[in-house]
Amino acid sequence: MKYEKYKKDLDYSYALGITLTFELLINKSQYLQDVYFHSSFNGEAKEKMEKILKSLGKEPIISDKIFNILASKENVYVIGIFKKFTLKLQNNNHLVLVNPANAGNLGTIMRTSLGFGIKDIAIIKPCVDVFDPKTIRASMGAVFNINFKLYDSFEDYKQQYNNHHLYPFMLKAKTKLHQTTFSKPFSLIFGNEATGLPDNFLNYHSVIIAHSKEIDSLNITNAVSIAIYEATKNIY
Amino acid sequence: MKYEKYKKDLDYSYALGITLTFELLINKSQYLQDVYFHSSFNGEAKEKMEKILKSLGKEPIISDKIFNILASKENVYVIGIFKKFTLKLQNNNHLVLVNPANAGNLGTIMRTSLGFGIKDIAIIKPCVDVFDPKTIRASMGAVFNINFKLYDSFEDYKQQYNNHHLYPFMLKAKTKLHQTTFSKPFSLIFGNEATGLPDNFLNYHSVIIAHSKEIDSLNITNAVSIAIYEATKNIY
């Protein structure tokens, strides 16, 4: 078998399922390696996908074996294999995730971020694997629609985008989100799920999503979505 | 063994882990049945928990066997068993979940709702099991801090709280969230993860969280948290 079960050090990853593979074909076809169809894949979606593949000069590979290896426990009829890629951020508003550790959370955040028009995400290492099939699945394909770039440190990111207004989200911050005016271009910055951002981020314009004392903190994906909603809400 | 692995038709459920069991002891001790300590449970948390148990006239049961049955794959040192309970809603602002289907989502929503002071959640059947240990875990204990009540139909709920202003969240709605003023007491209403709310909810003051066309919809937990944040943001 040409492809093996996902590991971080492989130079490819894959989109499991029809929806994700469509997103891959439409948005990142230049990185497409192969598309596998299960022998029981049929109907309109199959025809539509064959058409797109043809326009890309590709043919689907019909094989059931690979589904046992890459998607053994799941109800999957299509697998899109792609070469891992690197992107550049645009000089727009950014989301900055410092040391995100959970693949599902990262994917969900990508989807919500795209949903509110923030298409540029900086990710500070160490971090979860962006190409983990779990990230790709949770993003519902958003990973093929946004720009993301990994940085070795927050300083590296900051130097490159020194025109950005930095808004770290922290429980220790004094300014409440709904009293914050975001100057553009902005960077909304969030820390690791368990530890948050280190105290030195209080030197920037830090922001708190004020909540009751009955919970310790908001779930990270909920916190990011509230922040992005508030920062972009006059656009939609 | 007195207790078996969770099933919906049992009249008890359990909190796995130290944090959840503390929440159970502090907020719902009247429903407490037993607390199990793993033989390797030690330190400050153990002493604190023993103190609380003593004040409740209870003693922990030291046994490792039950951990293999109820928490086989997890790093858990404490299990709190409780009798399932029913609660009444207060006549405050409500969250109404119509046919929620995912245990993790329900728990996360409970936590965020508590975080923004909405402590009364109506759940319209059919729905996921509120006492599923997955719900309890995802709620991070919020399930022991809020009031929730199941209703056979939305009509049943509505009749009982006919003073509430109803705000269903729907993709087909015309009023945008950030242009909505919420009259109190309000009910923020959300549909099932996959299907949303049926069209007849458009007869109420329906609301949309406007987003870009690049995603089909927001993740339900993110949508609920954005809505609750906006509806309560002058409180915190």
Side-chain angles (χ1 to χ4, degrees), chain A residues 115 178 212 222 229-230 233, chain B residues 112 115 178 212 222 229-230 233:
Chain A
H178 64 88
S212 81
N222 289 350
Y229 161 78
E230 184 70 75
K233 75 180 175 187
Chain B
T112 300
H178 64 89
S212 80
N222 289 350
Y229 161 77
E230 183 70 75
K233 75 179 175 188

Side-chain angles (χ1 to χ4, degrees), chain A residues 108 111-112 114-117 119 145 176-178 209-212 214-215 217-219 221-222 225-226 229-230 233-234 236, chain B residues 108 111-112 114-117 119 145 176-178 209-212 214-215 217-219 221-222 225-226 229-230 233-234 236:
Chain A
T108 304
R111 173 182 168 201
T112 300
L114 177 64
F116 289 111
K119 299 175 75 165
N145 270 297
K176 292 181 184 179
L177 173 59
H178 64 88
I209 305 173
H211 58 72
S212 81
E214 298 190 77
I215 65 168
S217 66
L218 293 164
N219 162 301
T221 71
N222 289 350
S225 40
I226 290 168
Y229 161 78
E230 184 70 75
K233 75 180 175 187
N234 294 313
Y236 294 101
Chain B
T108 304
R111 174 181 168 203
T112 300
L114 177 65
F116 289 111
K119 300 174 74 165
N145 272 295
K176 292 181 184 179
L177 173 60
H178 64 89
I209 306 172
H211 57 71
S212 80
E214 298 190 76
I215 64 168
S217 66
L218 293 164
N219 162 302
T221 73
N222 289 350
S225 40
I226 290 168
Y229 161 77
E230 183 70 75
K233 75 179 175 188
N234 295 313
Y236 295 99

Side-chain angles (χ1 to χ4, degrees), chain B residues 191-216:
Chain B
N192 168 271
E193 287 91 337
T195 58
L197 288 170
D199 282 357
N200 59 313
F201 279 88
L202 288 167
N203 297 328
Y204 307 116
H205 189 133
S206 62
V207 181
I208 180 167
I209 306 172
H211 57 71
S212 80
K213 285 176 187 161
E214 298 190 76
I215 64 168
D216 291 333

Side-chain angles (χ1 to χ4, degrees), chain B residues 5-236:
Chain B
K5 201 163 172 62
Y6 187 78
K7 282 184 305 204
K8 196 175 176 174
D9 61 355
L10 295 170
D11 68 350
Y12 61 85
S13 183
Y14 37 81
L16 298 177
I18 297 171
T19 310
L20 294 184
T21 303
F22 269 125
E23 292 292 330
L24 167 63
L25 292 179
I26 292 164
N27 299 293
K28 288 286 179 288
S29 63
Q30 67 270 42
Y31 302 111
L32 184 68
Q33 294 195 175
D34 284 308
V35 174
Y36 286 86
F37 282 8
H38 193 274
S39 60
S40 61
F41 182 37
N42 257 311
E44 246 179 77
K46 186 187 179 189
E47 284 173 33
K48 193 176 159 194
M49 201 171 281
E50 282 173 332
K51 213 178 260 180
I52 297 177
L53 284 168
K54 204 172 173 184
S55 77
L56 298 168
K58 284 261 181 196
E59 271 196 29
I61 304 165
I62 319 285
S63 159
D64 292 358
K65 245 201 255 171
I66 193 168
F67 288 84
N68 297 328
I69 296 167
L70 305 190
S72 56
K73 285 180 196 159
E74 308 175 67
N75 233 345
V76 167
Y77 298 97
V78 178
I79 298 175
I81 314 262
F82 62 92
K83 197 174 151 52
K84 290 181 183 177
F85 49 84
T86 55
L87 301 164
K88 279 184 189 167
L89 301 192
Q90 301 296 305
N91 206 354
N92 299 323
N93 298 321
H94 293 167
L95 178 65
V96 181
L97 303 173
V98 178
N99 314 141
N102 179 287
N105 286 348
L106 179 57
T108 304
I109 287 170
M110 285 177 168
R111 174 181 168 203
T112 300
S113 193
L114 177 65
F116 289 111
I118 297 191
K119 300 174 74 165
D120 295 274
I121 304 183
I123 302 171
I124 313 300
K125 293 195 270 189
C127 62
V128 68
D129 180 6
V130 182
F131 290 111
D132 188 315
K134 279 183 240 142
T135 312
I136 293 167
R137 157 152 310 177
S139 86
M140 297 184 74
V143 67
F144 302 125
N145 272 295
I146 57 160
N147 304 310
F148 57 85
K149 189 170 161 61
L150 272 60
Y151 292 86
D152 286 326
S153 71
F154 181 74
E155 292 306 311
D156 283 2
Y157 164 78
K158 201 184 114 186
Q159 269 174 28
Q160 198 168 336
Y161 295 97
N162 55 25
N163 63 325
H164 274 61
H165 300 268
L166 306 178
Y167 298 95
F169 282 73
M170 306 173 73
L171 290 172
K172 288 186 185 172
K174 291 213 176 95
T175 312
K176 292 181 184 179
L177 173 60
H178 64 89
Q179 292 160 350
T180 305
T181 309
F182 292 92
S183 306
K184 288 174 190 163
F186 58 70
S187 301
L188 310 179
I189 309 164
F190 288 84
N192 168 271
E193 287 91 337
T195 58
L197 288 170
D199 282 357
N200 59 313
F201 279 88
L202 288 167
N203 297 328
Y204 307 116
H205 189 133
S206 62
V207 181
I208 180 167
I209 306 172
H211 57 71
S212 80
K213 285 176 187 161
E214 298 190 76
I215 64 168
D216 291 333
S217 66
L218 293 164
N219 162 302
I220 181 85
T221 73
N222 289 350
V224 173
S225 40
I226 290 168
I228 296 183
Y229 161 77
E230 183 70 75
T232 65
K233 75 179 175 188
N234 295 313
I235 304 173
Y236 295 99

